[in-house]
Amino acid sequence: MGLRELITDAWSWLDYKPAMADPRRPGRNAWANLTSSWIPDEDLRRLAAYRLLAAYDSNQAGQLAELSGDDDRGGERRELGDASKIVDTALGYLLGSEQTISVAGAEHGGDDPSPEAAAARAVQERLRAWAEKELLPLRVQQAERNAILLGDGVYTLAWDPGKGRVLLRTWDPGCTSRSGRRTARTAPTSRCGSTWRGSCPRTSGAA
């Protein structure tokens, strides 16, 4: 039987894996919880790719291969954490030893700054104080590791009237739809803006 449809998207390179090529196929379905009717088709490939990549990161690629029928003896594979090491190394090179918020003009002016430099310095101090309260380096590490491993990362900013500041949160991309709505847990109800770091949409064509 020839190829009936060609899909080109950010996860096409995984299509050689049976668990990824047709996530809804009957039989040995590795993604039974993903193929529920409430999962939109446009999100299914993305979520299946996340699961597949996460299996490599957690040394479960062999188990997944056996479960999906790709390798009947996949469970006997020895996995030494190389995938996780590569991700962590890339994260270290990406972020460096520290992350600092800098506002243009804040470092100029010395002891007698101009009004513009003084305003920039004040904004920088407020942003750095906010970043410390919101654990910005930790949030960045969480989201950027997802971006390296999965190709996607999600940040949200939402105003909290009780705390009187914007809250920064990172989410597992597998629990968030491309529209910004949560697919598994309830999203914050306050005004919220989301930033999606990640892959390109797919294109498809009949063969």
Side-chain angles (χ1 to χ4, degrees):
M1 182 181 294
L3 184 67
R4 302 179 65 179
E5 183 181 27
L6 174 65
I7 297 175
T8 303
D9 59 16
W11 306 284
S12 301
W13 62 281
L14 291 171
D15 282 346
Y16 74 98
K17 292 288 188 179
M20 184 66 192
D22 185 5
R24 292 195 190 276
R25 69 186 173 92
R28 303 181 75 170
N29 187 348
W31 316 124
N33 58 333
L34 290 183
T35 55
S36 302
S37 60
W38 59 271
I39 298 291
D41 286 339
E42 59 268 23
D43 283 322
L44 183 58
R45 276 180 60 80
R46 176 175 63 85
L47 297 176
Y50 292 164
R51 290 290 185 87
L52 183 55
L53 293 170
Y56 281 96
D57 188 50
S58 58
N59 293 331
Q60 293 180 301
Q63 298 175 31
L64 174 61
E66 183 171 346
L67 182 62
S68 62
D70 188 18
D71 183 350
D72 290 338
R73 302 184 64 181
E76 300 176 10
R77 294 183 187 177
R78 295 186 62 185
E79 299 181 65
L80 305 177
D82 290 341
S84 180
K85 290 178 182 178
I86 291 172
V87 171
D88 291 338
T89 300
L91 180 65
Y93 281 117
L94 174 68
L95 298 182
S97 58
E98 63 179 14
Q99 300 81 49
T100 304
I101 294 178
S102 298
V103 176
E107 304 300 333
H108 303 292
D111 295 332
D112 187 20
S114 65
E116 292 80 6
R121 188 174 299 178
V123 171
Q124 179 174 277
E125 290 175 356
R126 289 198 296 271
L127 287 174
R128 289 181 176 180
W130 169 83
E132 184 175 356
K133 291 177 181 177
E134 290 301 308
L135 304 176
L136 179 62
L138 176 62
R139 307 294 184 195
V140 169
Q141 289 179 26
Q142 291 172 336
E144 297 307 315
R145 193 180 194 282
N146 280 333
I148 293 171
L149 173 64
L150 308 177
D152 286 322
V154 181
Y155 296 87
T156 62
L157 295 170
W159 178 256
D160 187 322
K163 294 186 176 181
R165 69 173 187 268
V166 173
L167 300 185
L168 172 65
R169 295 292 181 267
T170 60
W171 302 98
D172 179 351
C175 297
T176 312
S177 71
R178 283 302 178 112
S179 65
R181 294 190 297 270
R182 300 281 284 153
T183 60
R185 296 188 290 272
T186 305
T189 56
S190 57
R191 292 182 180 178
C192 177
S194 63
T195 299
W196 189 291
R197 283 179 40 74
S199 330
C200 301
R202 77 175 185 176
T203 59
S204 64

